[in-house]
Each structure stands twice: as structure tokens, then as C-alpha cells.
Amino acid sequence: MAEKEFWRWKEYNWHDENIDWHGCDAITAGVDVGSVSSQAVILVDGKLYAFATTRTGSDSPKSAQKAMDWALEDTGMTLDDIHYKVGTGYGRVNVPFADRAITEIACHARGGNFMYGNSVRTILDMGGQDCKAIHCDERGKVTNFLMNDKCAAGTGRGMEVFANLLSVPIEDIGELSFQVEKEPEPVSSTCVVFAKTEASALLRKGWPKNKVIAAYCNAMAHRVVTLLERIGVEKDFAITGGIGKNIGVVRRIEKELGITALKADGDTQTAGALGAALFGKALLEKSRK
Amino acid sequence: MKANYGYMDGSGEYYITIDTDHCNNCSHHGCITGCPKGMFQVITDDYDDEVAEIKEEFRKKIKYDCADCKPTTDRPPLPCQAACTPGAITHSW
């Protein structure tokens, strides 16, 4: 019998059936090939038209193609209809159809500006295998950034490891983390391997799963808050990336910072690809001048 | 833009910060020759500005690569900072 994969998050695609892209002036796309997930976003005249979010495989070009094919599904649009394509993320230089590669730091700032409005100044991108604290201006241009990609603590992959360890579906982790009588002390926040070892010991000691989850969410929140404090947190504050959907971590970050994060109008995991598509639009306009 | 390259781990925080706004008016790029390990390079960034950055291969081990320039006693000025005339480079440790 196949082992259940508790870490497996929802992969899906979407497109706006109310938009007719035929004859539109600017169709741009962004593809974010991350270490854990890949997203493709298509904009039609600067409006969100379609996106797809999927798991990154072992081959970056294939993952980029898969995400893009899925975003294009049922739209009648082909890759050739897209005027400008930008690759971003860890695999950005391996997007075969991209006209340009742009770092995910710049793309998350631009995407966050679109998603949360131009008042956003601090963006925390909690990605699959790294975490970035970004400060940006009113145009979504990066003014300060800091990245931690040396270990998986404070990242989506770390959360996936915990979901599997505890046999809890990853989507349920946030809610379950609040089902504790008293907030436990965080487990190790400097290393996922240490945190996992510590969590195993706590389970053996008789801690309920929810309490262990709360301890890990707490550790993750504490880890990223130290990153944010280095660049200085300024309102308005937003969280992008997959962990932005985990309320167990988000609320604990908010509590530690004393700031409420802005609520997303869209999927936080697509912010990088969205930013890349916005860069594509700007570069397309520049090339036409 | 303040670009922070490095990491934090159980032993501390190790970041080199480059204020790239200072790179815009710099033509001699002293950082490239100033660093004995050759950690710096000049690139065109996402906003089409010519700026300095730490090469990818050094970013996760700067604590060790910078160690030779940071003796525990008689610490001289860091070569990268001395070479950067616009004063764009700072170290967190």
C-alpha cells in the first residue's frame, strides 16, 4: 500500500473566464521555479488572467513547462500568444522559453505590491527552502533585503517534514496548532533536523500532536522574526509564499511583531510569478518605445 | 538598495551589506580587486543598474572566507571596505 504523503499541498490552476484575451495589447507571463513549488501567472493588459501552482520536479525546465502548460489549460492561448515571459525563482535561468530572468527578491516585492497594494513596505517571503525579508518602496522596488537559505528552518520544506513526522495533512497544521491549552515553548529554531529530533522526543514523552505542532509553529515564527528585525519591520507588512497560508505561523509572527499582516487578495504562493509577469509587462512596454 | 549577503546560524549572524545606491556613481569598482578572496563582482541588477554583489559561491560561507581579514587582535581596516571609496560595504560581525 502506498504511504500517505501528508506534506502534499494542493496543486491547482485557475483562469478568469470573463476576460477575452484575443486582440489584447499586452499578454505577459511570469514563471517562478522554486525549490519546492513552481508557479506560472499570465496577465492580460496588466490584469490577472490565469495561474497554476504545482510541485517542482527534479528537472527545472520541465517544471517550468508543466506550470506554464497548466496555466494555459482551457484558455485557448498558446505560449506563442504571450508577448513577454520572465523566469524567476531558484530555477530562473533554466526556464527555456523566458525572455529574461529576474531574481525572486525583486519579483516578490513587485508581486506583493500588486497583491497587497502600494502601501506595503515589508514583505516576508516564506518559500520552500529559503526565507526572505524584503523592504520595498511604493512602486514595489526593493530597498533592502535579507535572505536565509543556509538551512531549512523557517521554510515550507521544514513544515512538510513536520507534517509527515506527525502524520497531519499540511493544510490542517495551522488550525491544529491553536488547539492547545497553553502555548508551548518553541522547539529548536536554528535547524529542522534538530527540531525534528526534539519533536520526536516530545512525542515519546507524551506530548499531544497539537502541542508539538504549536511548538514548531512558534519556533518557525521566532526564526523569521529575527530575520525581519535585521532589516526593520515597517507597516504595512505582508507575507508571501506557501507559509503565508498557514495561520499557525502567520498569527504567531503577528503576535511577536505586534503587527497584523495584510490579508491577500489571491494565492500568496503565486506572488513571485505575479511579480515576474508584472516585470514582463514593464519590459514589454520599454521594448516597444 | 541595501543588499544583505550571508546567513544566520546557531553561532551568530554573518552578513555583508552592500548599499547599491553608492555603486551607481562608482566607476573603479575597488571591491573587486580589494577583496583578497575575490568575493565581489559587478553585475547589472534587476533594475538595470550596475551594482556590486557577493558571488553566489561565497554567500553561505562568508564567516570562513572573511576570517583571514578578521584576526582576533590588531584588526586592520577590512580590505574590501578600504577599497570601496563610496563606503558601500558594511559587515555585521
Side-chain angles (χ1 to χ4, degrees):
Chain A
M1 200 171 84
E3 200 178 318
K4 190 169 178 193
E5 295 171 313
F6 292 96
W7 57 263
R8 195 170 277 282
W9 36 267
K10 191 182 164 198
E11 298 172 280
Y12 70 108
N13 64 349
W14 169 90
H15 76 272
D16 188 343
E17 289 175 356
N18 298 318
I19 294 178
D20 179 13
W21 58 268
H22 296 90
C24 284
D25 189 45
I27 302 175
T28 59
V31 183
D32 180 358
V33 182
S35 51
V36 167
S37 69
S38 294
Q39 288 80 31
V41 167
I42 301 167
L43 297 179
V44 169
D45 287 340
K47 285 185 185 156
L48 182 62
Y49 172 62
F51 69 79
T53 178
T54 183
R55 188 99 191 150
T56 298
S58 56
D59 184 312
S60 292
K62 278 187 187 164
S63 299
Q65 192 66 56
K66 183 181 159 194
M68 183 52 92
D69 287 347
W70 213 21
L72 290 167
E73 193 179 66
D74 298 330
T75 63
M77 189 186 280
T78 67
L79 203 54
D80 291 337
D81 294 315
I82 300 171
H83 302 121
Y84 206 102
K85 300 164 275 286
V86 172
T88 188
Y90 139 98
R92 63 185 175 275
V93 293
N94 290 317
V95 179
F97 49 82
D99 297 298
R100 181 160 170 184
I102 292 181
T103 66
E104 63 272 32
I105 295 161
C107 289
H108 272 272
R110 186 67 72 94
N113 177 276
F114 184 93
M115 203 175 253
Y116 297 95
N118 60 10
S119 64
V120 70
R121 289 292 172 276
T122 311
I123 294 171
L124 175 66
D125 168 34
M126 297 185 74
Q129 284 185 13
D130 64 28
C131 190
K132 304 168 204 80
I134 304 163
H135 189 273
C136 64
D137 66 14
E138 71 285 356
R139 294 168 299 155
K141 186 178 178 185
V142 180
T143 50
N144 194 345
F145 77 84
L146 188 144
M147 183 169 174
N148 196 32
D149 60 353
K150 194 169 161 91
C151 73
T155 69
R157 184 62 197 138
M159 193 54 87
E160 289 179 357
V161 166
F162 260 71
N164 257 12
L165 172 73
L166 302 168
S167 304
V168 173
I170 200 156
E171 285 92 354
D172 299 343
I173 279 186
E175 284 291 351
L176 288 174
S177 76
F178 294 115
Q179 293 172 19
V180 288
E181 283 178 15
K182 194 183 160 204
E183 184 77 356
E185 285 296 309
V187 290
S188 168
S189 65
T190 51
C191 172
V192 166
V193 179
F194 289 161
K196 192 181 169 189
T197 309
E198 209 179 323
S200 301
L202 293 171
L203 287 170
R204 279 198 302 275
K205 237 195 231 180
W207 277 36
K209 280 181 186 179
N210 297 355
K211 198 172 168 185
V212 175
I213 290 169
Y216 186 63
C217 288
N218 213 352
M220 204 176 207
H222 183 69
R223 170 79 174 181
V224 297
V225 165
T226 53
L227 264 191
L228 283 166
E229 283 171 346
R230 262 203 69 79
I231 66 157
V233 184
E234 200 183 320
K235 280 185 177 179
D236 289 347
F237 163 65
I239 302 175
T240 60
I243 297 288
K245 297 186 238 181
N246 182 324
I247 57 162
V249 178
V250 171
R251 287 198 194 152
R252 285 176 174 89
I253 293 171
E254 290 176 337
K255 191 179 169 193
E256 206 163 324
L257 288 174
I259 299 176
T260 304
L262 296 173
K263 300 288 169 275
D265 183 20
D267 187 332
T268 57
Q269 214 168 350
T270 61
L274 175 61
L278 289 163
F279 264 107
K281 183 172 182 288
L283 290 164
L284 177 68
E285 285 164 0
K286 197 174 168 186
S287 71
R288 284 174 174 171
K289 277 180 187 167
Chain B
M1 174 171 71
K2 284 185 180 162
N4 297 275
Y5 298 100
Y7 56 88
M8 64 170 80
D9 63 16
S11 67
E13 295 181 9
Y14 308 98
Y15 289 102
I16 294 176
T17 305
I18 302 174
D19 188 342
T20 59
D21 292 342
H22 290 298
C23 298
N24 284 336
N25 301 318
C26 177
S27 55
H28 80 292
H29 305 312
C31 54
I32 294 174
T33 49
C35 173
K37 290 277 171 91
M39 288 165 63
F40 292 81
Q41 65 182 359
V42 172
I43 54 141
T44 303
D45 73 3
D46 296 326
Y47 307 105
D48 292 333
D49 293 322
E50 211 172 69
V51 300
E53 70 166 19
I54 301 289
K55 291 177 189 168
E56 185 81 43
E57 63 264 35
F58 292 103
R59 292 179 194 172
K60 290 178 192 165
K61 54 188 184 82
I62 59 168
K63 174 188 172 184
Y64 306 101
D65 284 317
C66 292
D68 291 349
C69 296
K70 292 174 181 262
T72 50
T73 55
D74 298 328
R75 184 180 285 191
L78 293 170
C80 59
Q81 289 181 331
C84 176
T85 46
I89 301 168
T90 50
H91 288 227
S92 71
W93 79 110

